[in-house]
Amino acid sequence: VDTYLAVDIGGTGIRVAIFPEEGTQALAIKRISTRGAGTPLERFYALLNEMWPVNDHVRALGVAAAGPLDTRAGIIYSTPNIPGWINLPLQSMLEERHHVPVILGNDANLAAVGEWKYGAGRDHKDLVYLTISTGIGGGVILNNELMLGSRGLAAELGHIVVDPSGPTCSCGLRGHLEAMASGTAIGKRAAEQLAAGRKSILAKDPPPTAKDVSIAAYQGDALAVEVLTKAATILGKTLADFAHIFNPSIFILGGGVTQAGPIWFDAVNAALKTGVYDPGYLIDLKVVQAELKDNAGLLGALALARQLAHK
Amino acid sequence: VDTYLAVDIGGTGIRVAIFPEEGTQALAIKRISTRGAGTPLERFYALLNEMWPVNDHVRALGVAAAGPLDTRAGIIYSTPNIPGWINLPLQSMLEERHHVPVILGNDANLAAVGEWKYGAGRDHKDLVYLTISTGIGGGVILNNELMLGSRGLAAELGHIVVDPSGPTCSCGLRGHLEAMASGTAIGKRAAEQLAAGRKSILAKDPPPTAKDVSIAAYQGDALAVEVLTKAATILGKTLADFAHIFNPSIFILGGGVTQAGPIWFDAVNAALKTGVYDPGYLIDLKVVQAELKDNAGLLGALALARQLAHK
């Protein structure tokens, strides 16, 4: 029978899954850690060999990887936590090795594709996906097409300035959305406020994580509510900017921070509503939580592989 | 012979032009003012009747208009300075009246299309166009397709927050790009500085316009240089955000403010260069002035009309 392989490569783990012709239920799936005996590439190759279906035909292979890569050229420019992967032509390497069509995609982009094809974004032509966890990544579907840009570097939605006097981002620049609304930003801001002498139950077990802040907020802790609401408000205002830029019919929010519940979600929605300059942007606009969780990138890689095979 | 009609409707003037099968040289063009005897719609209809080719076949009609409109539905939601045009189904009205295919487009979007097809953006698949004059408008081409959004309201690039503590925008919200980098913003900021007692040759003939500021800057006036450079720097930083968002291969800048010359342009470029978080965004990236000037919208309408006829 015909099958598809989907791969998700991250700095900590590599997953390979086999899917049938249709549906999102994997026939087999295995995860290994990226580090261990051998290089990450050797480990990845060994996992592929082990998982490769012997009796079934593989129609295409889709690969989701973190970091800047060019899906059209099939090259990974660099990927976090795998220092050796610089300008790696992984697509042609895999095509030569396995003699099947291969397609690469940025993990946040592919998570957007996964949600669009199989998750919360079904039936939407224009969607903006954001993953809000330690960092903030994005993926955008416009008129049923993944936005890639001229070199495949588009949709880095965490790296736009939302406050020029804001804190420094992981990328080194100032006031980016990621530096103000990510899980990391929430933890840091809470820690700063504690250091400045603010009273809070968060002081018991420093440094606070975003999860600690969110739990404390639901216990009524004033500082935690303030920090969580501030991060959500900044995100919601930025969603209003994205509405003006993309005019999507749905925002899909994934990543750990979206587990923070209604205090966070209500503040996001309120800031979005007051942040659009014309009510037309809110007509039929949905803001929802991602459905596919950790499988979004893998299912996006599956979607691209199926698309590739049917071209 | 076959011809195409292109129309540009603004709050002050309405233009109708007749174009041949190919090229951008109009066979005939006429402009009337939007206000005068009769309603704007009556005046527009009369101009269309007058210009309509008697012996030639009109293959399609393209219309550029300001303000929020839905190109897919063919409806103008509203348009500045023509108060009666609310939810106007202009496409079907014109199709019924003239029995030719009609397409509407937002003027900044169509200016982007015009530059892409016939101007500075030829041979680019991913481009961002900005018009910087009294306001700031935008149009984006991605993978050779005009970005429209779910209701045709996308690419309002002037209405995104660049500084939450910035001045109030024409739309009523705070710190938008338009409120900080448009011609209006340049004039206002210079006036504020004069009112605060700053010395400048601009004090001779208040209130200063953006053009006054730019002329004074080239005469070495310190305040004028400062105000012009600041507006340009804010624009350039925002171009860096747009690079992260769209990863275009070209930024095309149109509108009166782009006439301000190298003091302005150099500051835009410098801020863009320092504002991207990865040098990959700058590879093969061009920043250029628009080529089509006042005809960009009209030529964009022509491009859409030709596209429509060849579908």
Side-chain angles (χ1 to χ4, degrees):
Chain A
V1 298
D2 283 350
T3 59
Y4 295 88
L5 256 70
V7 176
D8 189 4
I9 300 178
T12 55
I14 299 174
R15 285 188 300 167
V16 171
I18 306 166
F19 289 95
E21 185 71 36
E22 285 185 23
T24 57
Q25 208 60 46
L27 301 169
I29 185 163
K30 185 169 179 184
R31 181 189 189 280
I32 61 168
S33 63
T34 308
R35 279 134 203 280
T39 66
L41 190 64
E42 286 163 355
R43 299 174 62 75
F44 171 44
Y45 277 174
L47 180 61
L48 261 186
N49 283 349
E50 180 194 330
M51 296 287 285
W52 203 271
V54 181
N55 299 312
D56 296 333
H57 172 58
V58 176
R59 292 202 61 187
L61 168 58
V63 180
L69 59 81
D70 188 336
T71 190
R72 291 200 196 93
I75 293 170
I76 295 180
Y77 294 129
S78 70
T79 189
N81 300 314
I82 310 185
W85 291 25
I86 302 290
N87 299 328
L88 189 79
L90 191 61
Q91 181 189 324
S92 59
M93 289 161 66
L94 291 171
E95 283 178 343
E96 279 166 33
R97 200 164 182 278
H98 291 283
H99 309 288
V100 298
V102 174
I103 187 158
L104 308 187
N106 169 289
D107 57 356
N109 279 349
L110 290 202
V113 170
E115 292 289 342
W116 168 53
K117 287 287 183 187
Y118 309 120
R122 288 185 304 270
D123 309 322
H124 288 266
K125 288 164 56 248
D126 300 277
L127 74 81
V128 175
Y129 168 85
L130 284 168
T131 171
I132 304 132
S133 57
T134 46
I136 293 183
V140 179
I141 309 289
L142 295 171
N143 200 22
N144 284 328
E145 202 183 331
L146 176 64
M147 178 176 79
L148 289 170
S150 72
R151 303 182 69 242
L153 301 176
E156 285 293 351
L157 304 184
H159 295 286
I160 62 162
V161 178
V162 298
D163 186 345
S165 57
T168 302
C169 186
S170 67
C171 73
L173 295 172
R174 242 180 189 288
H176 278 178
L177 178 62
E178 175 166 309
M180 304 197 64
S182 65
T184 311
I186 290 170
K188 266 194 192 168
R189 180 152 178 87
E192 281 166 16
Q193 295 293 311
L194 291 177
R198 289 281 299 270
K199 292 218 167 76
S200 161
I201 55 176
L202 292 166
K204 273 186 251 168
D205 185 22
T209 65
K211 196 175 179 184
D212 296 337
V213 173
S214 132
I215 292 168
Y218 288 93
Q219 293 171 345
D221 185 76
L223 174 63
V225 170
E226 180 191 305
V227 168
L228 193 62
T229 305
K230 184 176 172 168
T233 300
I234 289 168
L235 179 70
K237 281 188 180 177
T238 310
L239 293 190
D241 292 339
F242 292 150
H244 299 157
I245 291 172
F246 299 118
N247 183 27
S249 54
I250 189 168
F251 284 108
I252 302 177
L253 309 180
V257 174
T258 63
Q259 307 295 321
I263 294 179
W264 182 85
F265 232 96
D266 291 352
V268 169
N269 271 308
L272 166 59
K273 286 208 173 71
T274 56
V276 296
Y277 82 100
D278 185 295
Y281 289 98
L282 300 174
I283 296 175
D284 300 327
L285 175 62
K286 290 190 172 69
V287 184
V288 303
Q289 225 174 333
E291 281 180 12
L292 305 179
K293 314 289 176 205
D294 288 345
N295 288 324
L298 201 64
L299 290 174
L302 168 65
L304 285 201
R306 283 178 175 159
Q307 213 169 56
L308 185 64
H310 288 95
K311 251 180 196 163
Chain B
V1 297
D2 283 350
T3 60
Y4 294 87
L5 256 69
V7 175
D8 190 4
I9 300 177
T12 54
I14 299 174
R15 284 188 300 168
V16 171
I18 306 166
F19 289 95
E21 186 71 36
E22 285 185 23
T24 58
Q25 208 59 47
L27 300 169
I29 185 162
K30 186 168 179 184
R31 181 189 189 279
I32 60 169
S33 63
T34 308
R35 278 133 203 279
T39 66
L41 191 63
E42 286 164 355
R43 297 174 63 76
F44 171 44
Y45 278 174
L47 179 62
L48 261 187
N49 284 348
E50 180 194 331
M51 295 288 284
W52 202 270
V54 181
N55 299 313
D56 296 333
H57 172 58
V58 176
R59 292 201 63 185
L61 168 57
V63 180
L69 59 80
D70 188 337
T71 190
R72 292 199 195 93
I75 293 169
I76 295 179
Y77 294 129
S78 70
T79 189
N81 300 315
I82 312 185
W85 290 25
I86 303 290
N87 299 328
L88 188 80
L90 191 62
Q91 181 188 327
S92 59
M93 289 162 66
L94 290 171
E95 283 179 343
E96 278 166 31
R97 200 165 182 276
H98 291 284
H99 309 287
V100 299
V102 174
I103 187 158
L104 309 186
N106 169 289
D107 57 356
N109 278 349
L110 289 202
V113 171
E115 292 289 342
W116 168 52
K117 286 286 183 187
Y118 308 121
R122 288 183 306 267
D123 309 322
H124 288 267
K125 289 166 55 246
D126 300 277
L127 74 82
V128 175
Y129 168 86
L130 284 167
T131 171
I132 303 133
S133 56
T134 47
I136 292 183
V140 179
I141 309 289
L142 295 171
N143 200 20
N144 283 328
E145 202 183 331
L146 176 65
M147 178 177 78
L148 289 170
S150 72
R151 303 183 69 242
L153 301 175
E156 285 293 352
L157 305 184
H159 295 287
I160 62 160
V161 178
V162 298
D163 186 346
S165 57
T168 302
C169 186
S170 67
C171 72
L173 294 173
R174 241 181 191 288
H176 278 178
L177 178 62
E178 175 167 309
M180 304 198 62
S182 64
T184 310
I186 291 170
K188 266 193 191 167
R189 180 152 177 86
E192 281 166 15
Q193 295 293 311
L194 292 178
R198 289 282 298 272
K199 293 219 167 77
S200 161
I201 55 176
L202 292 167
K204 273 187 252 170
D205 184 23
T209 65
K211 196 175 179 183
D212 295 337
V213 173
S214 133
I215 291 168
Y218 287 94
Q219 292 171 345
D221 185 76
L223 174 63
V225 170
E226 179 191 306
V227 168
L228 193 62
T229 305
K230 184 175 171 167
T233 301
I234 289 168
L235 180 70
K237 281 188 181 177
T238 310
L239 293 190
D241 292 339
F242 292 150
H244 299 157
I245 291 172
F246 299 117
N247 183 27
S249 54
I250 189 167
F251 284 109
I252 302 176
L253 309 180
V257 173
T258 63
Q259 307 295 321
I263 294 180
W264 182 84
F265 232 95
D266 292 352
V268 170
N269 272 309
L272 167 59
K273 287 209 172 70
T274 56
V276 295
Y277 82 100
D278 185 297
Y281 289 98
L282 300 174
I283 297 174
D284 300 328
L285 175 62
K286 290 191 171 70
V287 184
V288 303
Q289 226 175 333
E291 281 180 12
L292 306 178
K293 314 289 174 204
D294 289 346
N295 287 325
L298 201 65
L299 290 174
L302 168 65
L304 285 200
R306 282 177 175 161
Q307 211 169 56
L308 186 64
H310 288 96
K311 254 182 194 162

